[in-house]
Amino acid sequence: MTSVELSHVTKTYGAAAPSVDDLSLTIEDGEFFTLLGPSGCGKSTTLRMVAGFVAPTSGTIRFGERDVTSAPPYKRDTGMVFQSYALFPHMDVAENVGYGLRMRKVATAERRTRVDEALAVVGLAGYGERRIDQLSGGQQQRVALARALVVQPSVLLLDEPLSNLDAKLRDETRSQIREIQRKAGTTSVYVTHDQAEAMAMSDRIAVMNGGVLHQLGEPREVYRRPATAFVARFIGRSNVLPGVVEGRDGGTAAVRLTDGSLLHAPVAVDGGAGDVAVGDEIALSVRSEAVELLGPAPAAADRAEGTIHARLAMVEFTGSSCMLGLDLLDGADDEAAGQADRRILITIPDTDDLPRTGDVVALRPDPARIWMVAR
Amino acid sequence: MTALPSRLRRRSGLTAADRFVYVLALPLVGILLVYIVFPMIATFVTSTGDDGAAYADFTSGSSGRALVLSVGISVASVLTAGLVGGALAVLLTRFEFPGRAALRVFALLPMALPPLIGAMTFYYLYGASGIVPRLVQETLGIAAGSVAADGVWGVLLVHTMTMYPYFYLSVSAGLAGSDASLEEAAMNLGASRATMWRTVLLPMLTPALVSGALLTFMVSMASFTAPQFYNVNTLTMRIVASKTSGSYELAAAQSTVLSLVSILFLLLMRWYQNRRSTRSASKGTPQALKVVQGALPRTLAAVGSALLVVVLVAPVATILLLSFTVDGTWTVQILPPEYTLENFTTIFTDPRSLRPLLVSSQMSGLAMLASIVVGVLTAWVVARWKGRGAGVLDVMIMLPWALPGTVVGINIVTAFAAPTPFNLGQVFIGSLWILPLAYFIRFVPLVFRNAAASLAQIDPSVEEAAQNLGAGPWRTLRTVTLPLMTRGVLAGALMAFVQGFGEYVASVVVYPARFAPLSVEIYNRQYANELGSAFAYGSLQMLAILVVLIISELLENPRWRRRRSSASPPAVTAVPTQPVTV
């Protein structure tokens, strides 16, 4: 068990923009830590630098007190679960799981016991003599997990381990992995592009984009108080509406959106857009489930403060709820309809008296759940 | 603030794995330099001796004509082999007719023909004193000489019949890979069948046709056995003649010219294979076979297939038949008149007759072992080296594959005649080691190719997993990578072994008098009119090839399914690994 500390880690390939740019973060002992971001954001490169497969261009990596920056992978004592599982096809299940113990010169008898234990932990007791190609994808995934855990690594690294499983199995395996990790208490670094997965499993999440760390925090924190417009868009279903600060009243700011409507948002000194002043160009992040549908809109002149008028463009019925797509009325011609920065998505409970597409309706975002971010 | 110094400290960006690759590359580069690159340079240096008098000779003498003849034969071979191979491929992948199953089996039979004997059998089948022309004369009264394939025509016949598999294999693969829905899409959009072929299928087959053509051209340029039998003065023939008559500078100049042409084609092939991108993007709808309908067409198809099968089987049958002939009895008859088992019993009872077999298998075995070590390690280094060095190493080890055997022979003779710093003071002329060296140089590309192909099948993260679990680079290689490569490497090594076992073209240039290899012995026996004995050796060679082909086939179907890696395969020159017969 150990903590992992990255300090000013940068990885550059040739003349291209850095894959990872000046990344500093500390993963606490026993923590389940997730690197989250779209493909190409640098999360996998970061994980591979922790594992020792990629050497940082600059910066240092420490496991506890030990500087491992230039240590080869086989001397780092990490356990890694690969996206493709990377099981050895010429060995059976027990040989695969026992490989790391063999490298650590564990005696045969003890090795056998520990392999059996590890297989039991992942629910594959008695599978030791199976060949790898006789296993299903989910079973292979669990063999890979057992192989990484049996050596009792100081850090467990998981590189999108669920991405090759189908949806149902993915959810099951996800809670299994978390439970096993919690019992073992191993410091874990998990890489994924699936925000739901990240939120469900992690103690803390680091959201990355373009090689840069955008936000580091607990799942709720990241969801409710996104640090940047990117985080707001990437996590959950969020509307990011550009606007200008028109007034400050204590802890609240009045923000004029591009379509002319005026919303009030809380000012947070320590997150999001930070302390704002009149005239600042910012954006409002509004979660789709935090918008109320008020009904047919009154005349534009009668628009109430705190409401938005929009034209209903599409309705998607998802079972328990409905998702509505509406276009802001900002005077631009209809060709702009459907464009990302004019489209508002809201999620409401299913009802029988939905407005019809083309209707102009009034919406009211919950003022407590509006969050200001930098543009 | 305390972190600032470490941030400013720039690192080399090398991981331990990278360093291991470089350390391993060093001795390999050394070996390839000493045994492959420097001998080529030695030949070039020799050729420029005496102020380039050899090149003046080249342009004024018969060498120029020989070069033109070689190029002409090669172009013609590409056309005829392309026609035969392409037509066979279309017929067998697109049509269902009586005799198709048999044709499919026998279409690849020419690949089992041993190098020297393969060319000889065509001579005794279709040459002026061959079986078919004599039969025609006897039955139809047409003079044998007028229907015989002799001279240039004979060479072309041998080339066509031994090289069409290059086209057959590549076009078949191309056609099988093209998805029926593509053709359906074209016709759905209004293209007639002919237009569809012209606008969709042919462009998709272009890569297959181009690689087939380049390969056939290279092999034709390198061809020596067929020209020797039909006495056609190609450039390879001139090289051996110059060497035999002691004009080393001229031989070197001729070799240099031929090398340049061959290397040009190797590079052309590499370049073409790297840029092509005509791959089917769709999921693959199985291709339906067009069934040949009607009594008359079906009968014609059956008769045609039967005839083709006879033509394809004839060379092999001839080898077997002649191997039972009593030496010196076949003179003017259509078929040999007397048969005996003695040719075979003599080989295994008479030590003098057994010796060539032993020499060849030992020399080839040695070469195979060296090829495995160098070929496998080089394949691994090329696959894992992230820099430009990988491409250079790839070209270096593939060079001998492009070089005609004759040139390889000349290179060795010039480079290892006297001790120099470049050959590390090694002199091989007249020594036991020269044959294994020649076979090693010629066939290490084969092992390398197979090793690289099996390496490309291995998920690279499997090696990372081993390292992550605590295995150092050597241990990873030993416990994970090499075991996974074994089957592919073994198949390649066995193929290299039979090739070396029957190698003639380079052997004839370099062999020491006391150690005549099998192929030279066959040639000498044939020359001494001991046909039966010569072909008995040939039959054994054919048997060896057949066994190896079967074992390779078994090896290619591994017990475990290998996971295809998502990473792109290494930038390795893709070449077929079939034996090059002539």
Side-chain angles (χ1 to χ4, degrees):
Chain A
M1 314 303 128
T2 178
S3 61
V4 178
E5 183 192 342
L6 275 67
S7 105
H8 301 288
V9 169
T10 296
K11 178 65 195 179
T12 319
Y13 289 103
S19 303
V20 175
D21 196 359
D22 195 19
L23 180 67
S24 295
L25 51 84
T26 304
I27 298 159
E28 302 298 340
D29 190 357
E31 189 178 25
F32 196 100
F33 189 93
T34 297
L35 292 164
L36 173 68
S39 59
C41 73
K43 58 187 191 298
S44 283
T45 307
T46 305
L47 190 77
R48 292 170 61 76
M49 286 195 284
V50 174
F53 299 129
V54 173
T57 313
S58 63
T60 51
I61 299 172
R62 282 171 190 283
F63 290 177
E65 289 301 301
R66 180 178 165 221
D67 184 341
V68 296
T69 314
S70 46
Y74 46 92
K75 288 187 182 154
R76 291 200 181 194
D77 192 32
T78 64
M80 183 149 169
V81 179
F82 291 81
Q83 186 172 9
S84 63
Y85 314 143
L87 298 176
F88 308 123
H90 59 304
M91 300 181 193
D92 66 21
V93 169
E95 286 169 337
N96 262 283
V97 175
Y99 188 88
L101 298 175
R102 223 171 87 211
M103 295 304 126
R104 285 164 174 74
K105 302 197 168 55
V106 174
T108 318
E110 190 195 338
R111 201 163 74 211
R112 201 168 295 141
T113 331
R114 283 175 66 179
V115 167
D116 288 346
E117 279 169 16
L119 284 176
V121 166
V122 298
L124 287 176
Y127 277 68
E129 284 173 17
R130 298 280 183 100
R131 286 204 327 263
I132 296 306
D133 60 1
Q134 292 173 321
L135 303 181
S136 71
Q139 291 170 332
Q140 292 188 9
Q141 204 276 335
R142 282 183 281 160
V143 173
L145 186 63
R147 186 178 69 176
L149 281 172
V150 75
V151 297
Q152 295 167 348
S154 43
V155 185
L156 178 65
L157 307 172
L158 303 114
D159 187 5
E160 310 218 15
L162 304 181
S163 60
N164 286 333
L165 302 180
D166 59 45
K168 193 163 173 292
L169 198 55
R170 195 152 52 214
D171 291 352
E172 283 172 28
T173 317
R174 158 171 117 185
S175 37
Q176 269 176 8
I177 290 183
R178 187 62 172 111
E179 199 176 316
I180 292 169
Q181 185 270 343
R182 202 170 278 141
K183 273 187 196 145
T186 314
T187 311
S188 303
V189 189
Y190 190 92
V191 160
T192 184
H193 62 264
D194 183 334
Q195 45 105 4
E197 210 170 281
M199 302 235 258
M201 299 176 84
S202 317
D203 291 323
R204 283 193 303 155
I205 299 175
V207 186
M208 294 180 72
N209 190 36
V212 178
L213 177 65
H214 275 241
Q215 188 170 9
L216 200 167
E218 291 172 12
R220 270 194 189 78
E221 165 93 5
V222 173
Y223 185 79
R224 290 184 184 161
R225 296 155 60 95
T228 64
F230 168 78
V231 177
R233 283 200 188 90
F234 191 75
I235 308 271
R237 187 177 290 134
S238 199
N239 301 292
V240 179
L241 308 167
V244 179
V245 178
E246 269 197 2
R248 267 295 296 270
D249 177 17
T252 322
V255 178
R256 179 78 65 188
L257 299 186
T258 49
D259 71 337
S261 46
L262 191 71
L263 300 183
H264 297 282
V267 176
V269 182
D270 58 344
D275 202 359
V276 292
V278 173
D280 281 359
E281 296 189 339
I282 49 92
L284 298 182
S285 159
V286 183
R287 295 285 171 199
S288 73
E289 71 275 10
V291 182
E292 193 185 349
L293 177 63
L294 296 175
D302 299 335
R303 178 160 57 195
E305 273 192 15
T307 66
I308 302 170
H309 289 181
R311 177 176 284 120
L312 184 61
M314 60 123 203
V315 176
E316 262 177 28
F317 174 62
T318 60
S320 59
S321 63
C322 267
M323 190 176 76
L324 274 49
L326 306 104
D327 289 328
L328 286 177
L329 306 171
D330 58 359
D333 54 27
D334 281 344
E335 276 179 39
Q339 272 183 6
D341 58 341
R342 293 185 68 228
R343 177 59 62 90
I344 296 183
L345 295 175
I346 68 171
T347 319
I348 54 168
D350 186 38
T351 108
D352 281 332
D353 51 339
L354 282 174
R356 288 190 302 186
T357 49
D359 288 357
V360 175
V361 296
L363 307 172
R364 200 182 78 91
D366 178 356
R369 290 199 272 172
I370 298 178
W371 180 252
M372 277 192 283
V373 292
R375 268 200 211 167
Chain B
M1 274 289 110
T2 48
L4 206 63
S6 75
R7 202 192 156 191
L8 294 178
R9 194 167 82 223
R10 305 291 294 186
R11 288 172 199 287
S12 58
L14 286 181
T15 61
D18 295 335
R19 253 171 264 135
F20 181 67
V21 168
Y22 298 142
V23 168
L24 204 55
L26 218 66
L28 293 172
V29 169
I31 289 172
L32 297 181
L33 275 179
V34 172
Y35 293 110
I36 292 176
V37 178
F38 287 149
M40 289 178 65
I41 296 173
T43 300
F44 175 72
V45 170
T46 307
S47 75
T48 55
D50 207 5
D51 285 337
Y55 287 98
D57 268 9
F58 187 99
T59 40
S60 63
S62 54
S63 309
R65 274 203 309 283
L67 178 62
V68 173
L69 184 62
S70 282
V71 171
I73 288 179
S74 300
V75 170
S77 303
V78 168
L79 293 177
T80 52
L83 216 62
V84 173
L88 257 181
V90 171
L91 217 58
L92 290 178
T93 49
R94 284 306 155 91
F95 294 94
E96 173 60 57
F97 53 89
R100 172 170 176 270
L103 257 186
R104 266 177 85 93
V105 172
F106 289 109
L108 289 174
L109 201 59
M111 283 168 54
L113 287 178
L116 174 67
I117 284 285
M120 274 166 66
T121 178
F122 283 100
Y123 181 78
Y124 287 106
L125 249 179
Y126 304 111
S129 50
I131 296 170
V132 174
R134 282 181 184 172
L135 185 71
V136 170
Q137 183 167 22
E138 186 75 24
T139 51
L140 304 176
I142 304 167
S146 61
V147 291
D150 265 325
V152 175
W153 295 111
V155 174
L156 256 183
L157 177 75
V158 176
H159 284 188
T160 308
M161 292 306 289
T162 51
M163 295 176 201
Y164 83 77
Y166 303 146
F167 280 96
Y168 172 71
L169 285 173
S170 57
V171 174
S172 297
L175 280 174
S178 112
D179 175 336
S181 63
L182 278 179
E183 297 166 33
E184 287 162 6
M187 293 202 275
N188 173 262
L189 292 167
S192 68
R193 188 157 282 279
T195 316
M196 184 276 291
W197 266 90
R198 190 168 51 77
T199 54
V200 177
L201 274 185
L202 268 181
M204 281 189 56
L205 288 180
T206 313
L209 290 169
V210 171
S211 16
L214 289 172
L215 185 59
T216 307
F217 189 89
M218 276 169 66
V219 177
S220 300
M221 284 298 287
S223 167
F224 170 74
T225 319
Q228 192 187 24
F229 270 92
Y230 293 102
N231 200 18
V232 173
N233 259 314
T234 57
L235 198 50
T236 45
M237 285 281 282
R238 299 303 328 155
I239 293 173
V240 175
S242 307
K243 189 246 168 188
T244 313
S245 63
S247 343
Y248 288 105
E249 283 85 6
L250 185 56
Q254 290 161 335
S255 296
T256 303
V257 172
L258 193 52
S259 303
L260 287 179
V261 175
S262 306
I263 292 167
L264 183 75
F265 270 77
L266 174 73
L267 295 178
L268 210 63
M269 213 154 135
R270 249 179 82 90
W271 170 80
Y272 186 78
Q273 281 168 341
N274 285 340
R275 69 171 269 283
R276 74 174 183 193
S277 60
T278 340
R279 286 232 179 85
S280 181
S282 54
K283 288 262 178 180
T285 313
Q287 210 44 263
L289 289 173
K290 200 139 277 116
V291 179
V292 175
Q293 306 276 13
L296 186 65
R298 287 185 73 82
T299 317
L300 283 178
V303 172
S305 307
L307 274 175
L308 260 178
V309 168
V310 168
V311 169
L312 291 171
V313 173
V316 173
T318 309
I319 292 174
L320 290 176
L321 184 78
L322 293 186
S323 65
F324 293 104
T325 307
V326 178
D327 284 346
T329 56
W330 191 30
T331 48
V332 295
Q333 304 88 336
I334 295 172
L335 290 176
E338 288 173 50
Y339 299 94
T340 173
L341 278 175
E342 212 172 296
N343 298 329
F344 289 97
T345 50
T346 314
I347 290 177
F348 292 104
T349 50
D350 172 19
R352 203 184 55 89
S353 298
L354 187 60
R355 191 175 157 81
L357 271 180
L358 293 179
V359 167
S360 273
S361 42
Q362 284 161 6
M363 305 287 148
S364 189
L366 272 177
M368 179 182 80
L369 293 180
S371 300
I372 291 177
V373 175
V374 174
V376 170
L377 291 181
T378 309
W380 188 82
V381 168
V382 167
R384 296 290 176 258
W385 193 332
K386 288 171 198 122
R388 285 189 159 266
V392 175
L393 208 58
D394 178 27
V395 169
M396 262 165 83
I397 199 165
M398 285 312 289
L399 268 177
W401 180 81
L403 291 185
T406 320
V407 173
V408 170
I410 296 288
N411 287 351
I412 297 177
V413 170
T414 38
F416 297 98
T420 71
F422 292 117
N423 61 25
L424 308 178
Q426 305 167 94
V427 176
F428 286 131
I429 299 286
S431 103
L432 180 69
W433 295 102
I434 198 161
L435 282 174
L437 178 64
Y439 300 160
F440 163 73
I441 295 174
R442 285 211 73 187
F443 302 122
V444 70
L446 207 67
V447 181
F448 167 76
R449 264 305 304 157
N450 268 276
S454 38
L455 203 52
Q457 301 274 310
I458 302 173
D459 178 356
S461 49
V462 161
E463 281 184 8
E464 292 182 349
Q467 298 221 347
N468 178 258
L469 291 166
W474 260 121
R475 227 149 161 210
T476 303
L477 205 57
R478 228 183 50 227
T479 57
V480 174
T481 318
L482 292 181
L484 285 174
M485 291 170 74
T486 312
R487 286 158 173 274
V489 169
L490 219 57
L494 283 174
M495 199 59 90
F497 176 78
V498 278
Q499 293 270 300
F501 185 60
E503 211 283 341
Y504 176 64
V505 183
S507 304
V508 82
V509 179
V510 302
Y511 79 94
R514 291 172 302 143
F515 299 102
L518 181 60
S519 55
V520 171
E521 181 71 14
I522 291 177
Y523 186 82
N524 291 343
R525 294 285 178 113
Q526 184 267 348
Y527 201 74
N529 203 22
E530 296 174 14
L531 264 193
S533 315
F535 275 88
Y537 284 126
S539 295
L540 293 178
Q541 251 182 299
M542 204 161 59
L543 189 73
I545 291 178
L546 217 63
V547 169
V548 165
L549 283 178
I550 290 168
I551 295 178
S552 307
E553 183 61 37
L554 291 178
L555 286 173
E556 300 290 306
N557 290 320
R559 264 180 313 147
W560 61 81
R561 234 176 306 134
R562 283 166 185 169
R563 198 173 290 123
R564 284 217 135 254
S565 67
S566 50
S568 56
V572 166
T573 312
V575 291
T577 47
Q578 289 88 48
V580 173
T581 5
V582 281

